[in-house]
Amino acid sequence: MTVAIELEIPMPGNLRRFHLPRGVQRRLTELLDRQDSGRPLSLAERREAEGLVEMAEVLTLLKLQSDRKIKARA
């Protein structure tokens, strides 16, 4: 059973500036490039990459939802 909840969290006006820090983005890119080139990741590295991808996805969803709310107000 899936349950959907809606939370309203005050956020700064411009979510566009939110992104993974450069070092974190670099690490994610390094792990994904290594995996794409056929070099296997260790279990710890795979978990790290999965966590970083999830974090990037959450930021993307926040940005999209923020954009949608702003456009709905216009």
Side-chain angles (χ1 to χ4, degrees), residues 6-58:
E6 186 173 323
L7 298 174
E8 214 168 296
I9 302 170
M11 298 296 286
N14 186 2
L15 282 177
R16 282 272 161 236
R17 63 187 175 90
F18 286 143
H19 57 275
L20 290 177
R22 282 187 201 123
V24 175
Q25 182 62 53
R26 231 184 342 258
R27 178 65 176 157
L28 176 56
T29 300
E30 173 190 315
L31 291 170
L32 295 178
D33 286 349
R34 214 167 89 207
Q35 179 177 287
D36 289 347
S37 71
R39 294 179 294 165
L41 301 178
S42 69
L43 178 58
E45 290 171 326
R46 196 165 54 248
R47 287 182 177 158
E48 179 184 5
E50 289 169 356
L52 294 175
V53 166
E54 284 181 29
M55 207 175 355
E57 288 173 346
V58 166

